[in-house]
Amino acid sequence: IDIFLSGNENNPLRRMIREKCERLSGRYRVRVPKEMLPIEEYQEMLQRAKLAVCIESFGGETWRQYEVAAAGAVPLMSWPYTQVHDPLLPDEHAFYFSYMNDHFERTVEEALRDDDRLQRMSDAARQFVLEKKGRRGLLNYLVDTTLTESIPA
């Protein structure tokens, strides 16, 4: 699978990207299920996908981008509209696209051009997520930042 997009159409941005993905299905192997997948099938799709589209919902980051990276796919995400702590880095852990014009399609084309690069990014993203965004990484961040600022110098 070259491109995987999962999720409902609860916002116009998601509908637009779904349509763009469906139009790309003539050139790439695209999987855009219309229904919610059983968890086992969803996880299998993530493991088989090269790119998995992650559309933000109510913030600059979503658990889906970390779930995707942990499963081995490279996240394909819209540029965040806010700053996040320890983000997935462009061209190192993820590909970022704009909703404007054909930027999504051009980003997909660039991303799928080099399988070796995709594999390096997949490996780097997975390692990053397991170290920084898993429970241990998040708890360490919370403890370090809250205790460091409360300890008198």
Side-chain angles (χ1 to χ4, degrees):
I1 299 170
D2 294 319
I3 307 164
F4 177 60
L5 170 65
S6 179
N8 58 34
E9 294 184 9
N10 60 354
N11 71 47
L13 297 176
R14 188 175 291 278
R15 280 190 295 278
M16 178 178 62
I17 295 301
R18 175 181 291 276
E19 290 168 6
K20 288 177 177 271
C21 285
E22 289 170 347
R23 284 195 300 271
L24 288 170
S25 66
R27 295 174 48 203
Y28 302 106
R29 293 172 297 148
V30 178
R31 180 80 156 95
V32 184
K34 301 246 187 253
E35 304 288 323
M36 188 170 184
L37 297 175
I39 188 69
E40 298 82 13
E41 187 177 350
Y42 171 74
Q43 291 169 340
E44 179 187 343
M45 292 296 110
L46 289 181
Q47 292 169 0
R48 291 177 48 206
K50 292 179 181 179
L51 297 172
V53 182
C54 304
I55 298 171
E56 82 274 357
S57 49
F58 299 109
E61 63 184 337
T62 171
W63 282 110
R64 173 143 316 159
Q65 65 199 47
Y66 304 127
E67 178 180 56
V68 161
V74 175
L76 176 59
M77 308 182 327
S78 58
W79 284 103
Y81 54 86
T82 186
Q83 193 170 5
V84 299
H85 172 73
D86 268 344
L88 293 167
L89 299 176
D91 301 321
E92 186 175 329
H93 304 126
F95 287 98
Y96 286 84
F97 66 88
S98 165
Y99 290 105
M100 296 169 59
N101 300 322
D102 67 344
H103 194 260
F104 177 81
E105 292 88 342
R106 288 185 290 124
T107 302
V108 166
E109 193 172 304
E110 177 194 341
L112 294 174
R113 187 176 294 141
D114 184 347
D115 283 338
D116 292 335
R117 178 184 184 202
L118 267 176
Q119 187 59 56
R120 285 191 305 274
M121 288 177 69
S122 169
D123 294 342
R126 186 172 195 283
Q127 180 179 349
F128 175 84
V129 165
L130 293 177
E131 289 176 7
K132 301 276 188 168
K133 300 296 183 170
R135 285 185 178 156
R136 181 179 304 261
L138 293 174
L139 288 173
N140 285 341
Y141 168 73
L142 287 172
V143 169
D144 289 347
T145 55
T146 56
L147 290 180
T148 300
E149 293 186 17
S150 64
I151 296 175

